[in-house]
Amino acid sequence: MRVIQMGIGGMGNAWLERLMPFDFVTFAGFVEVDAAVAQAQAKKYLLDERLIFPTLEAALVTVEADAVIAVIPPQYRIETLQTCIDHKLGLLAEKPLAENMADAQRQVDMANQSGLLYMIAQNYRYKPEFQTIKAILDSGELGSIDAITISHYRGVKFTGFRAEMPYPLLNDMTVHHFDLLRFLLGPEPDTIYGQSWSTSWNELKGKMSAFAILNFPQDIRVSYSASWVSNGHVSSFNGDWRFDCEKGVLTLVNDVITVQKRSGSDGIWFAYTDLEERLPSPLEYNPQAYLAYELQEGLNNGYRPATTVQDNIKTLQMVFDLIESCESGHSIQSSKRGS
Ligand SMILES: NC(=O)c1ccc[n+]([C@@H]2O[C@H](COP(=O)([O-])OP(=O)(O)OC[C@H]3O[C@@H](n4cnc5c(N)ncnc54)[C@H](O)[C@@H]3O)[C@@H](O)[C@H]2O)c1
C-alpha cells in the first residue's frame, strides 16, 4: 500500500517507527507544514527531503498513493477528507474524529456519500493488554461483569492545539478510554453523567479533571476518574482498570493484568494470566501496523475495519454526552443520542 503520511512530528514519530519495519507499507511521500520539523525528521529517519511536501495537494501533484495516514490535529480532518475523496484515496486519521459533533457527522456523511474508506486510529483497542482483557472477558471464565472502575492520572504540560481545547482531557484522552469500553462491552451506554473542572493549579484554559458514571446495558456500571494535572502518583496512559465480575476480579494496574478467581466455596486463589498464550497477536503487538493493515485489506479486499468513521462517531458521541452532562448537570440518556 502506497501511503502519504501527514504530520511527521509529535505522534508522527510513532507512526514512522511502527510502520517502517513492514513491507506492506511504502511511504510514497510525507506532508509536514513545519519546515524545521521536516528537515529534522528527514535527517532522523533518513527520509528523502524531495518527498516531504507542505500540503497534501502539493504532494499529490508529484507522487501517487493509495492512502493517507493523517497524524495531524483534528481541525484539519474535513479538508484532508475532501482531498482524499477528490483523489480517491483511503484515509486513516488520528483520533479524535472531530472537535464537535456537527463536524463529526459531516465527515460521516462525506464518507457515506463518496464510499471512501475512512478509519480513525483508535489504537488502544489493538494494544496487547486490551486484546488480552477482551479475550478473558469473552471467554466467560469470570462470568458476568458487574462493575468497571477506571482511574487515569497524568501530569502533563501542553502547548499547541490541546491548549486551545475546552476539554483537552476528555477530547484527547478520554476518547481512548470510552472507545475501549465500547470495544470490550459492545454496546454504547444507556446513560452518562459527569463533572469536569479546573484545579486551582491548572495552567490551561481547558478543564483537565473529570469524574463520570456510565450505565451500560446488562446492568454494568462504570466509574471513571481522570486528571491531567496530577501533582503526584501517575498511571500509565492506559489508566488502571478493575473489572468486578461474578466469579472473580480482573485488574490492569501499571499495564499488568492480574486475574483473581474464587476457588470453590473456600475463598480466592490468585491466577496471573498467561498473556502470551491468549494474545490474538495483531501484527507483532503493533497497533499502528495493525490499523494500517486493516486499511490495506479494506482497500484491496473489501474488508470492513472495526474503527471506521461510521463506527467511531459513536465513541465521540459518548465524549460529547459527557461534556453535555458536565455543562448541564444532568444525566444524558441514550434515547437523546438517537440510538
Ligand atoms: N492515538 C494516540 O495514541 C495518539 C497519541 C498522541 C497524539 N495523537 C493524535 O495525533 C494527532 C496529532 O497530535 P500530535 O501530538 O502529533 O500533535 P503535534 O502538534 O505534536 O504534531 C503534529 C505534527 O503535524 C504537523 N502538522 C500540523 N498540521 C498539519 C497539516 N495540516 N499538514 C501537515 N502537517 C501538519 C505539525 O507541524 C507537527 O509536526 C492529534 O489528533 C492527537 O490527538 C494520538
Side-chain angles (χ1 to χ4, degrees):
M1 176 172 61
R2 297 167 301 174
V3 164
I4 295 175
Q5 179 172 326
M6 297 180 72
I8 55 176
M11 185 63 187
N13 283 283
W15 283 93
L16 288 170
E17 285 160 18
R18 293 174 194 171
L19 294 188
M20 277 177 164
F22 292 94
D23 289 341
F24 75 91
V25 173
T26 307
F27 286 105
F30 306 91
V31 180
E32 175 53 61
V33 286
D34 187 327
V37 171
Q39 208 177 13
Q41 297 296 74
K43 203 166 162 196
K44 179 173 173 188
Y45 294 104
L46 306 178
L47 310 177
D48 183 343
E49 282 195 59
R50 291 167 302 178
L51 295 181
I52 307 179
F53 302 89
T55 66
L56 182 55
E57 292 286 4
L60 290 167
V61 171
T62 308
V63 302
E64 285 191 3
D66 304 303
V68 168
I69 297 182
V71 196
I72 57 177
Q75 62 264 39
Y76 306 111
R77 302 267 184 272
I78 291 177
E79 65 185 66
T80 304
L81 173 57
Q82 187 58 59
T83 307
C84 287
I85 291 171
D86 293 345
H87 292 264
K88 296 189 169 37
L89 303 172
L91 175 58
L92 168 56
E94 265 296 353
K95 44 52 68 173
L97 161 61
E99 295 179 295
N100 56 62
M101 287 309 295
D103 282 359
Q105 189 59 54
R106 189 167 158 209
Q107 292 177 77
V108 171
D109 293 344
M110 288 165 75
N112 284 340
Q113 279 156 20
S114 63
L116 183 96
L117 177 59
Y118 180 14
M119 295 168 64
I120 296 298
Q122 295 286 179
N123 50 308
Y124 279 50
R125 286 179 179 224
Y126 302 111
K127 288 184 168 192
E129 44 280 33
F130 288 104
Q131 289 283 320
T132 305
I133 289 171
K134 182 156 174 62
I136 296 168
L137 295 174
D138 287 355
S139 76
E141 68 181 89
L142 291 176
S144 59
I145 304 168
D146 180 67
I148 304 173
T149 311
I150 307 166
S151 153
H152 169 82
Y153 285 81
R154 308 283 302 175
V156 291
K157 298 233 181 275
F158 284 128
T159 54
F161 69 97
R162 292 179 185 88
E164 302 305 316
M165 289 176 155
Y167 295 93
L169 168 74
L170 302 183
N171 283 322
D172 206 52
M173 191 66 233
T174 302
V175 69
H176 279 304
H177 300 136
F178 280 10
D179 188 65
L180 284 169
L181 283 169
R182 290 190 56 235
F183 169 61
L184 295 170
L185 300 179
E188 291 81 58
D190 294 326
T191 60
I192 298 182
Y193 170 77
Q195 299 184 2
S196 185
W197 65 95
S198 269
T199 58
S200 59
W201 61 91
N202 173 18
E203 290 170 13
L204 291 192
K205 59 185 175 195
K207 294 183 173 149
M208 295 277 269
S209 305
F211 288 158
I213 294 175
L214 302 90
N215 290 84
F216 279 81
Q218 319 240 327
D219 270 345
I220 300 175
R221 292 164 175 79
V222 178
S223 153
Y224 181 78
S225 61
S227 177
W228 264 0
V229 287
S230 169
N231 276 327
H233 176 77
V234 297
S235 53
S236 73
F237 278 107
N238 287 336
D240 292 334
W241 292 59
R242 176 184 171 106
F243 298 79
D244 279 279
C245 302
E246 191 185 357
K247 297 177 187 166
V249 173
L250 187 161
T251 56
L252 177 74
V253 177
N254 296 330
D255 299 340
V256 176
I257 296 169
T258 305
V259 176
Q260 297 173 300
K261 285 194 290 193
R262 283 199 177 279
S263 156
S265 56
D266 56 353
I268 287 182
W269 60 273
F270 295 78
Y272 286 86
T273 306
D274 185 339
L275 301 183
E276 297 300 322
E277 254 181 36
R278 290 166 186 264
L279 190 64
S281 184
L283 282 177
E284 299 177 21
Y285 310 177
N286 179 327
Q288 278 73 19
Y290 185 72
L291 286 159
Y293 183 73
E294 281 199 310
L295 177 64
Q296 175 187 259
E297 290 304 291
L299 291 174
N300 293 349
N301 303 322
Y303 166 80
R304 192 76 183 153
T307 65
T308 58
V309 70
Q310 289 87 349
D311 176 87
N312 193 253
I313 193 168
K314 297 176 191 166
T315 291
L316 197 72
Q317 184 71 64
M318 287 173 64
V319 172
F320 280 98
D321 282 352
L322 173 55
I323 291 171
E324 186 182 339
S325 174
C326 294
E327 292 183 348
S328 68
H330 298 129
S331 177
I332 306 302
Q333 312 286 326
S334 65
S335 56
K336 231 184 130 238
R337 286 183 255 132
S339 55

